[in-house]
Amino acid sequence: MLYYYAHTGHKIGLDRLRRAAAVIKRLAGEGIECRLLLNDFRAGLAARDLGIKEYVTIETIQDIDAVAARGDSVIIDSDEDEHGRLVKYCSDFTHVWRFEHDPDDRSIHGETLFRADCREEDCLNAVIVDDAYFDIEEKEERVLFFLQDMDHDKTILRHAPFFEAFPMELLLGNYFFVKYEGLLAQCFSALHEPEEYMDLIKSSRTVITASAQTALEARAAGAKVIYIDIQQVSLYPAALLERYGIDCMKGFDAEVLKHLLKQNSNKTKKPVEKFDLNRLISVYK
């Protein structure tokens, strides 16, 4: 059995879940069953919207072997401290794939790394976008803002004048507090529920986000994308996003955003492409 553990939560969001769903659905298309492991009930509900009907809940990365048995294989997408469990996993499991923590991360115990800037034969490309985003749809003249799936620090409200200066529509995050929505409505021309995520990312002409995963998905769908770097841990560095024609800005600077919105999307940059799992599939089979 192949397992995929994705670390999620109200402080880190669901970016890793979106990568996981893309991989699991691709594997299913190849006839390979891959069971999703999550550490958060809300992520399990969101997984259904992404096309993953079944999942198993565990506490942390240290509990993968509470489900996976010796001889199984596992894909790990987490930045948690594994407290030495990785060496056991690499010993007990037939194959272990792991997403890098940062550009300096290296394989320690023989696991294969997914790397955001993979240029060698001993790694896999971590730039992973669900195939559904490559089905280009007619765009609506909408400027959609999606911060991330969480905003426990009330980042949006702390920068209310920035958002009030532009006619933007807000896509709510899965972990937003219910009472928070009423306050947010004062800053945006419209609010959209988290369940509308994929439809809105695919149909919006312009997408502004602080999620690197969302930025890549929107770019694959043909949108003009602006990524706001808010100095939090990101799945992909801003420099990599820029290679794909995604405009990047630091913080909530209204003048910079006004300038970027006037610019045409850079179509000459590297296109986001469908990810390749052939080497993983050949090893697993």
Side-chain angles (χ1 to χ4, degrees):
M1 173 62 75
L2 177 61
Y3 292 91
Y4 191 126
Y5 173 65
H7 184 215
T8 61
H10 69 281
K11 290 187 177 181
I12 60 172
L14 298 174
D15 282 357
R16 290 183 172 88
L17 171 62
R18 294 192 172 94
R19 277 203 302 209
V23 171
I24 292 172
K25 288 189 288 186
R26 175 71 68 79
L27 290 172
E30 297 292 333
I32 298 175
E33 180 183 0
C34 181
R35 189 164 299 168
L36 177 63
L37 302 179
L38 296 172
N39 60 303
D40 172 61
F41 173 75
R42 187 66 188 86
L45 297 178
R48 297 176 184 174
D49 294 331
L50 296 171
I52 307 300
K53 304 301 182 184
E54 298 182 2
Y55 67 96
V56 178
T57 302
I58 61 176
E59 290 292 331
T60 71
I61 189 174
Q62 299 176 55
D63 302 305
I64 292 175
D65 58 353
V67 178
R70 181 180 292 272
D72 288 333
S73 295
V74 64
I75 302 169
I76 301 173
D77 193 355
S78 171
D79 60 355
E80 298 166 279
D81 186 348
E82 37 86 17
H83 293 284
R85 298 294 282 181
L86 184 60
V87 64
K88 182 178 187 300
Y89 295 161
C90 290
S91 173
D92 290 353
F93 301 147
T94 301
H95 303 291
V96 175
W97 293 271
R98 177 175 65 83
F99 283 80
E100 67 177 357
H101 296 161
D102 56 60
D104 296 323
D105 196 2
R106 294 292 181 269
S107 175
I108 301 173
H109 307 293
E111 73 277 19
T112 301
L113 290 185
F114 282 86
R115 304 187 68 86
D117 195 15
C118 178
R119 300 182 182 183
E120 308 294 336
E121 293 185 358
D122 61 349
C123 62
L124 297 173
N125 189 2
V127 178
I128 295 174
V129 171
D130 194 304
D131 288 349
Y133 292 102
F134 294 92
D135 298 328
I136 306 299
E137 297 182 359
E138 184 175 347
K139 301 293 186 250
E140 297 183 25
E141 293 300 331
R142 173 196 301 119
V143 178
L144 181 71
F145 178 76
F146 177 72
L147 179 72
Q148 293 169 328
D149 276 288
M150 69 294 184
D151 190 14
H152 55 279
D153 293 330
K154 296 187 176 180
T155 299
I156 296 177
L157 280 186
R158 288 192 288 107
H159 296 89
F162 170 85
F163 296 103
E164 292 168 350
F166 301 94
M168 289 191 282
E169 300 181 19
L170 175 66
L171 174 55
L172 296 166
N174 279 275
Y175 296 100
F176 278 29
F177 300 110
V178 175
K179 293 183 179 180
Y180 191 29
E181 296 178 13
L183 297 172
L184 295 176
Q186 303 173 28
C187 303
F188 297 89
S189 58
L191 265 60
H192 300 279
E193 296 300 320
E195 293 76 16
E196 302 176 72
Y197 178 93
M198 183 173 287
D199 289 339
L200 287 168
I201 297 300
K202 292 178 66 176
S203 65
S204 298
R205 177 75 65 187
T206 302
V207 175
I208 304 171
T209 181
S211 162
Q213 181 66 27
T214 299
L216 286 169
E217 291 169 351
R219 190 61 179 145
K224 172 182 174 62
V225 185
I226 299 172
Y227 172 71
I228 301 180
D229 186 350
I230 57 175
Q231 303 300 308
Q232 292 185 354
V233 176
S234 176
L235 292 191
Y236 311 104
L240 182 142
L241 300 180
E242 289 177 337
R243 296 181 201 169
Y244 292 100
I246 296 170
D247 294 316
C248 297
M249 58 182 284
K250 288 189 175 295
F252 299 94
D253 189 318
E255 290 302 316
V256 172
L257 180 57
K258 187 183 300 182
H259 171 71
L260 292 176
L261 285 171
K262 290 179 180 179
Q263 289 185 331
N264 293 324
S265 297
N266 192 335
K267 302 295 186 181
T268 64
K269 296 283 185 154
K270 178 181 179 180
V272 180
E273 298 176 337
K274 292 186 178 182
F275 61 97
D276 183 359
L277 284 181
N278 287 334
R279 283 196 291 123
L280 183 152
I281 292 170
S282 64
V283 168
Y284 178 72
K285 285 186 173 181

